Amino acid sequence: MPADGHPYLFLALFAGAAVVFCLSLLGLARLWAMLVSPAKPGPTKNAPYECSLASQGDAWVQFRSAYYLYAIIFLVFDVETVFLLPFAVAFTHLSVGAFVAMMVFLLLLVEGLVWAWRKGALAWH
Amino acid sequence: MIDEGLRSELSKQGVFTTTVGELYNWGRKNSIWPLNFGLACCAIEMIAASMARFDISRFGSEVFRPSPRQADLMIVAGTVTKKMAPQVVRLYNQMPEPKYVIAMGACAISGGPFKQGYNVLKGIDRYLPVDVHIPGCPPRPEALLHALITLQEKIAGQKLTGPERAPHLQEEAPSEYPIPDYGAYDLDPPKNPDVWQPPVLARKD
Ligand code: SF4
């Protein structure tokens, strides 16, 4: 690297070399296909499924909307885990104030869960 | 083109010469990836061949691919029932060029012990171009390895250019074969006449 060059010059060179490298490989493959090895697509070959049985029905199946309640309640546990792990790691160094704050936070989350439970969201209708 | 005498003379002097076609075939024959499927008891021997004792990886073929898109070789290992035959042909059609077929065992080459069965295909070569047939019920793993070596020799002998060149390099050679349908009594059609013709029996007087 010359001392007077721009500090990011090598990045530009690197990006350029990377692009040229990829393009030349793709070009070589294309050249090979043109000169010796012709592409032979076909209806079965291009079919998306590979299990060798033709697909049946529609991929646009519908799920019951009742699942969204579970998704929301899952968030309670999700958020709880995200905060509980750092809490557990730092537990021995925490001040009383931080501990109380954490407990209040947990209480809020549990309250949400209890509320959803009371509302009957955990029962399958 | 360099002639054989000069070539061996050069190699005695430590100069190695090759051609693009030979290099291409050398790479292909040492990395034949089989399609990962088995149809009956012969598949157990195929699995044994891929394990440490028989160690098919010595020949570069241990990479059994679960997808036909990545496979070079179809090892038809086992009984092909008429229910399964369309699926086997469809899988073959989905493999990219170049592709090869080894029919392993008495069942795959002829129907084997179930030849009289109403539901058994009497050899996968009725629908697919088979490169190597392995007799035996079941063939030992060594027999599969031998078939693989035979296939490697066949690949090494394929030409890159000219009218004799390998089928996958010829524009007009088919890459897909017709998939049979389930008919009322048999597969429809019962064979692909472009690939297989019944042997003509001539009675000597
Ligand atoms: S040839 Fe013998 S071992 Fe192989 S699939 Fe047929 S019955 Fe089984």
Side-chain angles (χ1 to χ4, degrees):
Chain A
M1 208 60 232
D4 53 344
H6 192 277
Y8 285 145
L9 181 62
F10 83 94
L11 267 186
L13 284 177
F14 192 72
V19 168
V20 168
F21 182 70
C22 296
L23 287 184
S24 62
L25 282 189
L26 286 175
L28 272 180
R30 174 52 65 88
L31 200 68
W32 181 261
M34 261 165 40
L35 291 183
V36 258
S37 187
K40 291 184 183 175
T44 322
K45 214 186 213 176
N46 292 349
Y49 285 94
E50 302 176 348
C51 77
S52 93
L53 287 169
S55 60
Q56 295 183 355
D58 199 351
W60 290 90
V61 292
Q62 293 182 335
F63 290 96
R64 275 187 69 148
S65 57
Y67 281 116
Y68 98 96
L69 275 176
Y70 289 92
I72 288 183
I73 298 169
F74 165 74
L75 278 182
V76 173
F77 296 99
D78 200 33
V79 173
E80 203 169 327
T81 325
V82 167
F83 286 104
L84 267 185
L85 192 72
F87 178 56
V89 170
F91 187 69
T92 45
H93 314 295
L94 285 185
S95 65
V96 179
F99 179 74
V100 171
M102 199 61 205
M103 280 299 140
V104 171
F105 169 69
L106 280 185
L107 204 68
L108 283 177
L109 283 180
V110 171
E111 191 195 341
L113 179 64
V114 169
W115 180 82
W117 202 334
R118 291 281 303 276
K119 279 284 213 182
L122 293 189
W124 184 254
H125 301 295
Chain B
M1 208 56 192
I2 177 170
D3 76 285
E4 277 305 313
L6 176 59
R7 188 172 173 167
S8 77
E9 202 54 42
L10 276 175
S11 79
K12 272 184 216 143
Q13 303 300 323
V15 181
F16 176 68
T17 55
T18 186
T19 60
V20 176
E22 268 173 29
L23 212 56
Y24 175 63
N25 284 344
W26 175 75
R28 290 194 309 127
K29 83 178 194 178
N30 289 303
S31 59
I32 306 174
W33 290 4
L35 183 60
N36 191 359
F37 82 109
L39 295 175
C41 7
C42 274
I44 304 297
E45 302 295 310
M46 179 181 73
I47 296 163
S50 71
M51 290 294 136
R53 187 179 180 109
F54 297 100
D55 201 10
I56 206 171
S57 57
R58 288 175 293 162
F59 306 95
S61 294
E62 78 281 19
V63 200
F64 278 79
R65 304 316 294 178
S67 160
R69 317 276 189 206
Q70 303 162 352
D72 308 301
L73 168 65
M74 170 177 254
I75 303 177
V76 185
T79 322
V80 188
T81 57
K82 287 182 181 166
K83 189 174 183 186
M84 203 61 193
Q87 274 69 260
V88 174
V89 178
R90 193 173 289 119
L91 278 179
Y92 177 84
N93 286 350
Q94 290 191 330
M95 285 162 59
E97 314 280 327
K99 45 189 169 186
Y100 301 92
V101 180
I102 289 180
M104 178 180 184
C107 286
I109 66 179
S110 69
F114 313 113
K115 189 175 172 62
Q116 310 296 332
Y118 66 95
N119 62 334
V120 172
L121 186 71
K122 279 107 195 129
I124 191 61
D125 49 4
R126 289 173 184 230
Y127 292 113
L128 294 180
V130 176
D131 294 283
V132 185
H133 295 81
I134 319 175
C137 177
R140 285 194 50 86
E142 290 95 332
L144 179 59
L145 296 181
H146 182 247
L148 189 66
I149 296 169
T150 312
L151 182 64
Q152 287 184 336
E153 280 164 6
K154 175 173 179 171
I155 292 177
Q158 287 187 323
K159 300 250 186 338
L160 192 59
T161 49
E164 299 276 88
R165 63 196 191 279
H168 72 276
L169 304 175
Q170 302 175 8
E171 190 92 59
E172 62 283 3
S175 90
E176 292 193 9
Y177 287 88
I179 301 169
D181 286 324
Y182 299 128
Y185 301 108
D186 199 352
L187 288 171
D188 179 30
K191 64 176 188 290
N192 181 355
D194 296 338
V195 179
W196 186 81
Q197 291 288 350
V200 184
L201 297 180
R203 198 182 295 273
K204 278 218 184 83
D205 301 309

